[in-house]
Every structure is written in structure tokens, then in C-alpha cells.
């Protein structure tokens, strides 16, 4: 008699940032339950931010995530600047964009090359790829290293940079400091182009699912520091009203909250959403490569997020080079603004998608209340739905393939569990037939 | 010579310190010829069971589950190195140690009763013996690499002990405290970052924690002479390494 129940238990989800688990249950050839659990310990940032001085907030919230600290610095700085009535000048804006793009490169390369590509090629880590294709690994690591250099030149260090502050930077960043980066930018452009081409040749699984993609909308440039919040289903709102449009949920198996569009359903944020909502703003050189491989303005499933990341990497290298040329030193390093009570919120595009911060300050500049919505929390429910969409394939697979595919789906979203839980590593698959 | 068997464990943290291993980039490719990352969930799926020659531990201990886990890590490790501010002093999440964690749960979660945490976030050394500490928020990748290379050769790894001021002077910076009157924790903070903050025109915020023989009470007196408000002095110490004993001495004066 065929066994009535099969079960797989893997204790730690690997190649993700943070600790989580996945539980998949199959009954009568149907996936009956998928639970992406987060057991990363809660760290209560919103709670201990109360009573901190506004100027400390970017440094503190950066510690939510070591992989995307600049994202936290920028969302919090912009939210607070709205309260203080600060509008930064163009030079500061350019610098912010450069360091943020540097972070995209560093974070995307980490994911594309070290965490995600092994899934497409049947390896357990980058080591396997390095043996098979040392050239692409070498180029990829040089790109990652250059992204880190961009962050280091402006920020002092790449993990938890120290130069950024509310209103600008602690000191004027000199044009010649930035120019040290230009030297390698042409080579990096070629490497990024090669990386994109390599990614475009990967065998990418098919998956059909109707998804709402939410991102910022760029006006003249690919969105990163600001923009309206839009989706392919007609969402088009200002960042200030974002909380009115999303509902918060808590599930028992997760220390991360999750989100859905009010009155609708779950949604997806991240490189895929940005790409689909802003394809025309990618540099023409990038689009040309993409189109020469038969892809276009709309990517259709989460596996293709690797294309969006590689495309954004190439775009970022080209844009950084241009921005450095455009940069001129500001007259003063930062704007002071006037301390006053009020509420401010802001959204920027973290490597993993839109990152929302809201702060309420008292008249002396101390935080009274805050709310932070990181990208990964917004994607958690969609990861589960992607797995359910694979029902017909998954139920036919043997356990090890099933597990491999389910893990691959999780990694498509580059989940950053430290972010999600600022407050995953167990895969647990149970099958009852 | 068989390869050193290295493990990288994560507890309550931001992942930034273990990311520093991956940030070694090209050096990493050479490093894996010399050592074996036998357990490193963030980087690879394959896991080799313990015991491990050298275990790097990132993060603080903040849940009952983590207490059990760190004891297991101790049992499976010949040498434990705690890495970063969370693992050496409790990190930023240790700010809750002065507050009511129940109230924190209620503030952040709609269903606080589903959340299981300890009252305090503590460094692993609170629960197990720790052999070495690599400081910083984040730890510096150069220090991690140097630690591994020294350790592999059988040396007792040399780590910084002096205050940040030494590095700051060597960098040729003007003293932000003396010249600009900017509050700076450099005189009491462990060196290791290369005096980054003063080099960018701001005071050190103490993310490497107290230096050996750190005179925090003396600096506290100096801040009072500068007429800083008690709350400002407290917040300055109450950051990423606030729960370290030396910084606590000042913080608790103002609680």
C-alpha cells in the first residue's frame, strides 16, 4: 500500500537573510497549506525609537538591516525632513542617489550571484558556480566590490554608513573623492552588461499568476528616492496616504507582520515591480540587451526577478557614472531645518522594494510614534501564493525536488528576514496523500 | 594540514556582521581554499555537522529559543568568537532592557500574546563562555579576515585594545571634541573602525563599545562641564553598545 503521508523537514532556510521556515502540506493531490514562518527574534525598533532625538533615527533604523542600511537611512531622513521643512538641494540629492544605487549594486550582486543563481544551476552555493564559470563569478564579485566602494567613498563604510544625516551629510563630499570611482566605471559597465547577458541565458521556470505589482513611479528617472506609489491595477497614491491603503495582518507562525491592499489582496514589491512599472526609464543600453534576448517591458513571474536585478545593476553602474559627472559640491553639507512637532512619512525603493517610514515628533524633536513597513513583510503572503500556484507541478514531484522548488520560490523574493522582523530558517514540508 | 572547520551562527541581529564575510568578495574566493565554511546558512545550503574548530556568532540572545541554541553552539564549538555590537554587548535591541518588554510587544504587534521573547537582549557571554570578541557595528571585514589568518597559524589573534582617539590622531584629524565642542565617545570607545565618524566631521557614537580600561565616568564629567543636558549625555551612551557595563555606568546615572 502506498504510504498515506510523506514529510520533509529542513531546519533552516538557507541563502536568505535572516531566519525563517516554510511549511507545505499536500492532501489529495492539492496543496492544502503553505506557511512561510518567520522566527527571527523581534527587535522592537518602533518601540525603542520613542524618546530618541530625530537626528539619531537614521543611524538607529539602519541597524534593522545590514544589507540595505542606506534604504533605512533615506526613508527615515526624508520622512523627518518633511516635518522639519527641509528640502535638500540638488547636490545632496545626487549624492543620496549615488550611495543608494551603490547599495542596489551590492545587494543585487549578493542575491543574484551568491544566493539566487545557484538555484537555477543546481548548485548549493556560489562555490559550484565559481568552479563552472570562474569568469562570471570574478566579474560579479568585482561589481559587488565596486558597489561597496561607492558606499564607502560617500558613507565611510558600506555596512551602516556614518556620513548620512537628516538634511544631507555630516561633511561635504569632495568631487575628487567621487572621481576615484569613475576610473573603474567603464570596466564595471562591461561587467554588468556581461552579468545581465549571462542571467538572460539562464533557464527560467514558467509560472502564471495574476499579481499586483506595487512600486514607486519615476518621472524622469528610474525611481529610488521618491515618487508616487503605483501598481498595474490602478493604484496611484501619494506616499503620505500609503497606510490608508494597506491593511496589517499578523499570523501565528510569524514574528513579521504582513500587508495587503485594503479591500483587495496581497501584492508584490521589489525589482520586478519597479521594472514592470518603470521599464521605459531603464537606460537604453540596458533595454537593448534585454530585448535582444527576447524579453520586454513586462516580466511575468517571480523567477524572472533575477533579470530585473541584473538589469537594475547595469542601469545603476551607468547612472552612477553620469551622476558623478553631474555632481558639484554644495555650499554646506546639510540643511538644519526648524525643529517642530508634526508627522511625516516617506517611501523610498530599497533593493527589495518600497520601504515606508512614518514618524511623529514632539516640539523638541523627540520621536513620539513611528511605523516602519519593510519590503519583505509586504511580500511574505505572495511567496506563499506563488507556491500554491505551482500546485500541479509540485504535487507530482518527489520530495527533494519539491523542496528544492519551494525554496527556489522563496528565494525569488530575496527575502530579508532581518528587515521583516526588525522585529527565517526552517523548511518543513509535510505531504499527506 | 586539514582545513579549519568554521561555522557562522546568527542570533538577534541585522545580518550585517556575517555579511562582512561575503563582503570580502575576492578575498573570500581565496579564503575558501584555506578554510571550510562548514555551516553558513546565509551563504550556502550544505551543512556539515559539528564539532567546529571556530564558530563566529552574530547577534544577541533575546528569546528562550536562542538561549537553548547558544548552549548547543558552545557544545559544538572548540572556539567561539562573538562578532559585532549585538554579540558583544547586546546591540541596539538591548535598549529594551531599560523598558517594559510587554509594553513593547503591545506597541508593535496586534497580537502580542503570540510573541515569545526574554525581558532582556543580552550578549551570548551572559549564557556561555566566549573565547574572543570582535567588536563593531558592524565588525570590520579586515579585522575578521585578520582574525582568521592569525588563528589558522596558531597565533593568539591580536585585536585592538586602545581607545579610538589613537586611531583618530594617526588619521591626522582635528579633535572634534576639543576643537568643535562636538560630543564624541572616541576617548572611551574601542579602536578598530579607523576613526570614521571624526573623519567625516561628527563625533564617535561608540559602536565598537568601551575600550579596555574605558574611563566613561571621566568623559561624563567632561560632558557636564560642556553643559550638555543629562538627556543628551544619556542618549549618546545609550546606543549600539549601551548595555556594555562601562557605558551603563553613565546611562544609569540618568535613569
Amino acid at each position: 500500500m502506498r504510504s498515506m503521508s510523506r514529510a520533509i523537514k529542513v531546519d533552516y532556510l538557507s541563502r536568505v537573510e535572516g531566519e525563517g521556515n516554510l511549511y507545505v502540506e499536500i492532501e489529495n493531490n492539492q496543496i492544502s497549506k503553505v506557511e512561510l514562518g518567520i522566527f527571527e527574534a523581534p527587535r522592537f525598533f518602533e518601540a525603542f525609537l520613542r524618546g530618541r532625538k530625530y537626528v539619531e533615527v537614521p543611524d538607529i533604523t539602519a541597524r534593522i538591516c545590514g544589507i540595505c542600511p542606506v534604504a533605512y537611512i533615506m526613508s527615515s531622513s526624508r520622512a523627518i525632513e518633511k516635518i522639519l521643512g527641509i528640502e535638500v538641494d540638488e547636490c545632496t540629492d545626487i549624492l543620496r542617489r549615488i550611495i543608494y544605487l551603490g547599495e542596489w549594486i551590492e545587494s543585487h550582486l549578493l542575491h543574484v550571484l551568491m544566493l539566487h543563481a545557484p538555484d537555477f544551476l543546481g548548485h548549493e552555493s556560489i562555490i559550484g558556480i565559481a568552479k563552472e564559470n570562474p569568469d562570471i563569478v570574478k566579474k560579479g564579485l568585482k561589481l559587488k566590490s565596486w558597489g561597496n566602494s561607492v558606499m564607502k567613498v560617500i558613507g565611510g563604510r558600506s555596512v551602516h554608513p556614518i556620513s548620512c544625516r537628516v538634511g544631507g551629510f555630516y561633511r561635504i563630499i569632495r568631487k575628487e573623492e567621487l572621481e576615484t570611482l569613475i576610473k573603474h566605471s567603464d570596466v564595471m559597465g562591461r561587467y554588468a552588461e556581461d552579468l545581465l547577458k549571462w542571467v538572460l541565458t539562464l533557464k527560467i521556470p514558467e509560472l502564471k499568476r495574476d499579481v499586483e505589482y506595487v512600486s514607486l513611479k519615476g518621472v524622469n528617472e528610474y525611481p529610488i528616492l521618491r515618487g508616487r506609489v503605483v501598481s498595474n491595477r490602478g493604484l496611484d497614491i501619494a506616499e503620505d496616504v500609503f497606510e490608508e491603503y494597506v491593511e496589517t495582518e499578523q499570523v501565528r507562525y510569524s514574528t513579521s507582520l504582513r500587508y495587503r491592499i485594503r479591500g483587495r489582496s496581497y501584492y508584490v514589491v521589489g525589482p520586478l515591480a519597479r521594472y514592470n512599472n518603470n521599464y521605459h526609464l531603464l537606460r537604453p543600453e540596458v533595454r537593448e540587451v534585454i530585448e535582444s534576448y527576447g524579453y520586454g517591458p513586462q516580466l511575468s513571474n517571480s523567477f524572472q526577478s533575477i533579470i530585473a536585478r541584473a538589469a537594475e545593476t547595469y542601469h545603476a553602474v551607468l547612472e552612477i557614472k553620469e551622476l558623478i559627472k553631474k555632481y558639484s559640491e554644495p555650499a554646506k553639507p546639510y540643511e538644519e531645518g526648524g525643529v517642530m512637532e508634526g508627522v511625516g512619512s516617506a517611501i523610498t525603493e530599497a533593493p527589495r522594494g518600497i520601504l515606508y517610514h512614518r514618524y511623529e515628533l514632539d516640539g523638541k524633536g523627540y520621536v513620539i510614534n513611528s511605523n516602519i513597513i519593510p519590503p519583505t513583510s509586504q511580500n511574505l503572503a505572495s511567496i506563499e501564493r506563488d507556491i500554491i500556484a505551482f500546485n500541479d507541478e509540485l504535487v507530482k514531484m518527489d520530495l527533494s525536488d519539491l523542496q528544492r522548488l519551494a525554496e527556489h520560490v522563496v528565494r525569488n523574493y530575496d527575502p530579508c528576514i532581518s528587515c521583516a522582523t526588525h522585529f527565517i530558517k526552517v523548511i518543513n514540508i509535510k505531504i499527506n496523500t | 594540514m586539514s582545513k579549519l572547520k568554521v561555522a557562522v551562527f546568527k542570533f538577534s541581529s541585522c545580518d550585517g556582521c556575517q555579511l562582512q564575510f561575503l563582503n570580502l568578495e575576492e578575498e573570500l574566493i581565496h579564503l575558501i581554499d584555506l578554510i571550510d565554511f562548514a555551516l553558513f546558512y546565509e551563504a550556502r545550503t550544505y551543512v556539515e555537522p559539528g564539532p567546529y574548530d571556530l564558530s563566529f556568532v552574530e547577534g544577541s540572545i533575546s528569546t528562550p529559543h536562542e538561549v537553548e541554541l547558544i548552549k548547543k553552539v558552545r557544545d559544538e564549538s572548540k572556539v567561539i568568537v562573538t562578532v559585532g555590537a549585538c554579540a558583544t554587548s547586546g546591540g541596539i535591541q538591548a535598549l529594551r532592557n531599560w523598558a517594559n518588554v510587554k509594553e513593547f510587544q503591545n506597541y508593535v504587534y496586534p497580537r502580542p500574546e503570540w510573541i515569545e521573547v526574554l525581558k532582556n537582549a543580552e550578549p551570548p557571554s551572559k549564557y556561555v563562555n566566549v573565547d574572543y570578541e570582535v567588536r563593531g557595528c558592524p565588525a570590520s571585514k579586515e579585522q575578521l579576515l585578520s582574525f582568521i589568518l592569525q588563528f589558522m597559524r596558531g597565533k593568539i589573534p591580536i585585536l585592538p585594545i586602545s581607545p579610538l582617539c589613537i586611531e583618530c590622531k594617526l588619521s591626522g584629524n582635528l579633535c572634534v571634541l576639543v576643537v568643535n565642542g562636538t560630543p564624541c565617545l572616541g576617548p572611551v570607545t574601542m579602536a578598530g573602525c579607523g576613526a570614521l565618524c571624526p573623519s567625516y566631521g561628527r563625533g564617535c557614537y561608540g559602536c565598537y563599545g568601551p575600550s579596555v580600561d574605558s574611563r566613561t565616568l571621566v568623559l561624563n564629567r567632561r560632558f557636564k562641564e560642556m553643559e550638555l543636558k543629562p538627556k543628551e549625555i544619556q542618549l549618546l551612551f545609550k546606543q549600539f553598545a549601551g548595555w556594555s557595563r562601562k557605558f551603563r555606568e553613565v546611562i544609569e546615572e540618568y535613569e
Side-chain angles (χ1 to χ4, degrees):
Chain A
M1 196 179 96
R2 197 171 165 210
S3 149
M4 293 300 285
S5 101
R6 298 181 292 163
I8 292 176
K9 190 176 177 194
V10 182
D11 281 336
Y12 280 85
L13 260 181
S14 63
R15 282 185 279 125
V16 296
E17 297 105 0
E19 309 197 301
N21 62 36
L22 181 68
Y23 181 79
V24 181
E25 207 175 85
I26 297 178
E27 274 175 75
N28 304 325
N29 274 337
Q30 205 65 33
I31 297 177
S32 52
K33 196 190 258 181
V34 178
E35 292 182 347
L36 178 58
I38 305 288
F39 63 90
E40 178 96 14
R43 293 164 70 209
F44 305 111
F45 274 81
E46 287 96 335
F48 63 65
L49 277 167
R50 293 170 301 171
R52 301 302 304 204
K53 191 91 193 223
Y54 76 88
V55 75
E56 302 176 312
V57 172
D59 291 324
I60 293 177
T61 56
R63 267 66 183 187
I64 291 173
C65 179
I67 298 125
C68 60
V70 170
Y72 284 86
I73 290 170
M74 294 307 167
S75 283
S76 60
S77 297
R78 273 199 48 241
I80 291 168
E81 284 159 13
K82 281 163 96 170
I83 306 174
L84 307 187
I86 297 172
E87 282 202 34
V88 299
D89 57 26
E90 201 199 343
C91 321
T92 301
D93 217 52
I94 288 176
L95 270 184
R96 284 184 166 178
R97 224 177 137 80
I98 298 173
I99 189 173
Y100 212 147
L101 288 166
E103 177 165 283
W104 277 18
I105 296 174
E106 165 268 322
S107 174
H108 281 356
L109 257 299
L110 171 73
H111 191 257
V112 167
L113 198 63
M114 294 182 164
L115 312 186
H116 205 195
D119 281 330
F120 292 94
L121 298 163
H123 293 298
E124 63 85 31
S125 75
I126 190 179
I127 301 168
I129 306 175
K131 283 182 188 141
E132 217 169 77
N133 191 343
D135 181 57
I136 203 70
V137 168
K138 198 180 121 206
K139 286 173 176 166
L141 290 177
K142 281 202 189 297
L143 265 170
K144 183 171 178 299
S145 165
W146 190 73
N148 275 327
S149 305
V150 171
M151 296 173 77
K152 198 173 164 186
V153 164
I154 299 174
R157 61 185 173 198
S158 66
V159 180
H160 305 326
I162 50 83
S163 71
C164 312
R165 57 161 291 155
V166 173
F169 290 83
Y170 277 94
R171 73 158 163 80
I172 293 171
I173 306 298
R174 299 290 164 202
K175 178 104 175 166
E176 62 258 32
E177 293 178 271
L178 292 181
E179 279 167 348
T180 59
L181 297 163
I182 291 267
K183 190 165 69 206
H184 298 293
S185 62
D186 285 336
V187 178
M188 291 305 145
R190 283 201 298 280
Y191 287 177
E193 186 184 347
D194 290 347
L195 181 84
L196 176 59
K197 287 177 173 166
W198 177 71
V199 163
L200 286 163
T201 60
L202 293 174
K203 196 175 168 310
I204 294 181
E206 294 284 328
L207 171 66
K208 291 253 176 295
R209 192 165 82 79
D210 196 16
V211 173
E212 179 158 11
Y213 291 108
V214 177
S215 78
L216 295 183
K217 179 87 182 161
V219 180
N220 297 315
E221 50 198 10
Y222 201 74
I224 184 160
L225 279 169
R226 62 178 64 80
R228 287 181 70 79
V229 184
V230 300
S231 83
N232 52 332
R233 290 198 194 150
L235 187 74
D236 185 358
I237 56 171
E239 60 187 2
D240 310 82
V241 295
F242 182 67
E243 275 181 86
E244 295 167 29
Y245 284 81
V246 292
E247 287 172 324
T248 310
E249 281 182 6
Q250 186 180 357
V251 289
R252 180 129 211 181
Y253 53 85
S254 168
T255 51
S256 167
L257 300 173
R258 29 176 83 200
Y259 300 87
R260 54 158 72 216
I261 301 281
R262 205 173 284 275
R264 278 214 287 271
S265 186
Y266 302 108
Y267 57 99
V268 168
V269 302
L272 206 54
R274 280 195 295 264
Y275 177 109
N276 284 349
N277 294 338
N278 297 278
Y279 180 75
H280 64 290
L281 292 170
L282 285 169
R283 298 277 301 228
E285 298 94 320
V286 181
R287 283 181 278 142
E288 199 180 306
V289 174
I290 292 168
E291 283 156 27
S292 72
Y293 283 77
Y295 288 93
Q298 293 296 312
L299 296 174
S300 56
N301 74 46
S302 64
F303 294 93
Q304 295 176 352
S305 66
I306 194 168
I307 298 174
R309 281 184 203 94
E312 288 187 340
T313 301
Y314 186 20
H315 174 93
V317 174
L318 297 171
E319 198 186 322
I320 288 172
K321 188 180 162 193
E322 194 172 278
L323 289 171
I324 292 175
K325 286 185 183 152
K326 220 168 118 189
Y327 175 72
S328 60
E329 292 170 18
K332 51 182 177 178
Y334 61 90
E335 292 290 334
E336 195 84 58
V339 174
M340 62 183 94
E341 61 183 336
V343 182
S345 44
I347 297 179
T348 67
E349 283 282 1
R352 287 158 196 77
I354 52 171
L355 169 62
Y356 173 86
H357 285 225
R358 169 175 54 81
Y359 298 96
E360 183 182 356
L361 301 182
D362 70 14
K364 289 181 174 158
Y366 291 98
V367 176
I368 303 173
N369 268 309
S370 65
N371 189 20
I372 298 169
I373 305 179
T376 293
S377 309
Q378 300 172 70
N379 279 339
L380 288 174
S382 291
I383 301 177
E384 294 174 354
R385 265 133 205 93
D386 261 14
I387 293 172
I388 294 168
F390 259 125
N391 184 72
D392 296 350
E393 284 92 336
L394 284 173
V395 294
K396 278 184 242 144
M397 286 179 172
D398 69 38
L399 291 181
S400 63
D401 285 344
L402 192 159
Q403 185 191 319
R404 208 172 299 129
L405 184 61
E407 282 188 68
H408 190 166
V409 170
V410 173
R411 284 191 284 264
N412 287 345
Y413 288 83
D414 187 6
C416 181
I417 293 152
S418 309
C419 283
T421 316
H422 58 278
F423 341 105
I424 312 181
K425 264 168 200 175
V426 176
I427 286 214
N428 186 347
I429 298 177
K430 187 178 164 207
I431 301 176
N432 301 312
T433 46
Chain B
M1 192 174 84
S2 70
K3 279 192 187 179
L4 197 67
K5 209 168 143 188
V6 177
V8 181
F9 292 97
K10 177 195 152 63
F11 291 83
S12 301
S13 64
C14 78
D15 276 53
C17 288
Q18 54 175 324
L19 179 67
Q20 293 288 46
F21 288 108
L22 303 181
N23 279 344
L24 286 169
E25 285 136 8
E26 286 163 88
E27 286 126 328
L28 183 69
I29 295 296
H30 298 296
L31 193 61
I32 56 180
D33 289 334
L34 304 172
I35 66 168
D36 180 18
F37 281 106
L39 182 151
F40 191 175
Y41 288 119
E42 184 164 340
R44 62 189 307 190
T45 302
Y46 174 74
V47 174
E48 208 179 313
Y52 306 105
D53 298 321
L54 186 57
S55 289
F56 290 101
V57 172
E58 171 194 280
S60 58
I61 309 299
S62 74
T63 66
H65 170 72
E66 287 182 335
V67 175
E68 294 317 306
L69 202 59
I70 190 67
K71 289 178 183 162
K72 247 174 85 186
V73 169
R74 178 68 274 182
D75 290 343
E76 289 189 343
S77 312
K78 288 184 197 153
V79 169
I80 285 187
V81 188
T82 48
V83 178
C86 297
T88 56
S89 76
I92 192 73
Q93 56 274 14
L95 291 183
R96 77 157 177 262
N97 301 0
W98 285 281
N100 175 350
V101 74
K102 283 271 172 280
E103 192 273 330
F104 272 30
Q105 280 168 252
N106 292 337
Y107 183 75
V108 175
Y109 290 97
R111 299 293 300 266
E113 68 278 14
W114 291 349
I115 302 295
E116 196 184 10
V117 289
L118 296 168
K119 193 197 161 297
N120 280 5
E122 296 277 359
S125 59
K126 171 95 179 174
Y127 297 97
V128 298
N129 283 326
V130 165
D131 301 285
Y132 296 96
E133 284 185 349
V134 176
R135 302 281 195 85
C137 186
S140 107
K141 62 176 185 178
E142 290 80 9
Q143 247 181 58
L144 289 171
L145 181 62
S146 149
F147 185 97
I148 293 173
L149 296 178
Q150 294 182 68
F151 186 85
M152 295 177 32
R153 288 169 174 77
K155 285 183 66 177
I156 295 174
I158 296 168
L159 291 161
I161 51 167
S162 61
L164 189 84
C165 290
I166 306 284
E167 283 186 333
C168 201
K169 295 289 167 292
L170 289 172
S171 308
N173 292 329
L174 283 178
C175 178
V176 294
L177 184 74
V178 172
V179 177
N180 307 333
T182 305
C184 177
L185 294 183
V188 296
T189 297
M190 188 78 94
C193 68
L196 278 179
C197 287
S199 307
Y200 278 78
R202 66 184 293 196
C204 163
Y205 56 65
C207 73
Y208 275 64
S211 56
V212 172
D213 207 16
S214 173
R215 306 290 172 92
T216 46
L217 293 174
V218 178
L219 187 63
N220 180 32
R221 203 161 65 218
R222 172 68 190 252
F223 286 158
K224 285 182 196 166
E225 287 161 12
M226 289 164 63
E227 297 181 350
L228 292 187
K229 295 189 192 98
K231 172 104 178 165
E232 283 176 82
I233 300 176
Q234 190 190 41
L235 288 183
L236 193 55
F237 282 94
K238 204 172 175 179
Q239 298 192 60
F240 311 102
W243 194 241
S244 61
R245 189 174 59 81
K246 285 284 184 181
F247 286 6
R248 245 152 78 186
E249 283 175 6
V250 178
I251 293 164
E252 278 158 17
E253 185 183 319
Y254 302 102
E255 273 299 301

